[in-house]
Amino acid sequence: MTSPRRTLRADAQRNREHLIATAAEAFASGRTVSLDAIAKRAGVGSGTLYRHFPTREDLVEEIYRDQIRPLRDDAQALLATEQPAQALHTWMCDFAEWAGERRGICEALVAMSASGRFGTGPVCDEVQRILGMLLTAGSEAGELRDGIDAADVGGVLAGLLSVAGAPEQRAQLDRMLTIVVDGLRARG
């Protein structure tokens, strides 16, 4: 996990915050940057970076921790204006757009899903909560099947982003999401 388990000393907290800011800037450049290069840019040793962020995914999630929260409001607004199954589809498309604008987040989600860690960090936790809210609304409306695990849908979404997450693939992603949502519909 990326969250400190205890209160950090002031210098350790400054290092952590500086690493996050440096990594955010590096990722925004659009180039792939190693964790060691980020540590060097931040003026700290690699050991300091890995102590705070054991994996690249941990660092990426921490960078985008606060940026994902508005997506919950978006999901609630969609549920207020669309049927739940359509709200789910629209939200997943919106999430793909959000993720595509943030360097490294798609790769981190795919890596977490592949390792079975999906849902163990701030971004994945929030994605799961949002998907859970949408799935529950769909189930309660009789549109979506009962008992669908939000983590499973999140893993499917991560997988789809790995094969069709680029902006020029949005039409393909939309078609694939349509298939996913159709598969989640209640049978009756």
Side-chain angles (χ1 to χ4, degrees):
M1 290 302 288
T2 60
S3 304
R5 296 186 191 274
R6 56 183 165 62
T7 304
L8 295 175
R9 292 185 334 251
D11 62 328
Q13 184 62 37
R14 278 192 304 276
N15 284 343
R16 180 181 172 80
E17 290 167 4
H18 189 57
L19 282 165
I20 292 168
T22 301
E25 184 179 296
F27 292 154
S29 75
R31 295 185 311 270
T32 302
V33 182
S34 72
L35 292 182
D36 290 335
I38 290 169
K40 186 175 182 178
R41 281 186 191 183
V44 300
S46 295
T48 298
L49 184 141
Y50 288 106
R51 228 179 348 269
H52 290 288
F53 307 103
T55 68
R56 183 178 198 85
E57 292 77 34
D58 291 329
L59 180 57
V60 169
E61 275 218 304
E62 188 63 28
I63 290 168
Y64 299 121
R65 167 193 294 269
D66 294 328
Q67 295 179 25
I68 188 132
R69 291 190 180 111
L71 290 173
R72 175 179 286 276
D73 295 337
D74 295 346
Q76 291 169 330
L78 287 168
L79 285 172
T81 60
E82 298 180 8
Q83 293 298 313
Q86 182 58 47
L88 174 64
H89 182 274
T90 302
W91 186 86
M92 289 193 294
C93 287
D94 291 348
F95 176 77
E97 179 109 4
W98 176 90
E101 293 170 357
R102 284 149 183 87
R103 178 65 65 195
I105 196 71
C106 285
E107 294 85 1
L109 292 173
V110 170
M112 292 169 131
S113 184
S115 70
R117 282 188 52 217
F118 191 86
T120 62
V123 172
C124 288
D125 286 347
E126 188 63 18
V127 168
Q128 270 190 284
R129 283 191 288 274
I130 294 167
L131 288 171
M133 176 180 62
L134 291 162
L135 293 167
T136 298
S139 174
E140 289 173 353
E143 287 189 36
L144 301 175
R145 291 186 280 149
D146 292 328
I148 299 169
D149 188 330
D152 291 343
V153 176
V156 169
L157 180 56
L160 293 179
L161 290 174
S162 75
V163 296
E168 65 274 8
Q169 296 173 305
R170 287 297 181 251
Q172 179 186 14
L173 180 65
D174 184 61
R175 291 189 307 271
M176 293 164 66
L177 289 172
T178 297
I179 293 167
V180 169
V181 173
D182 283 349
L184 298 174
R185 288 189 185 276
R187 306 289 180 235

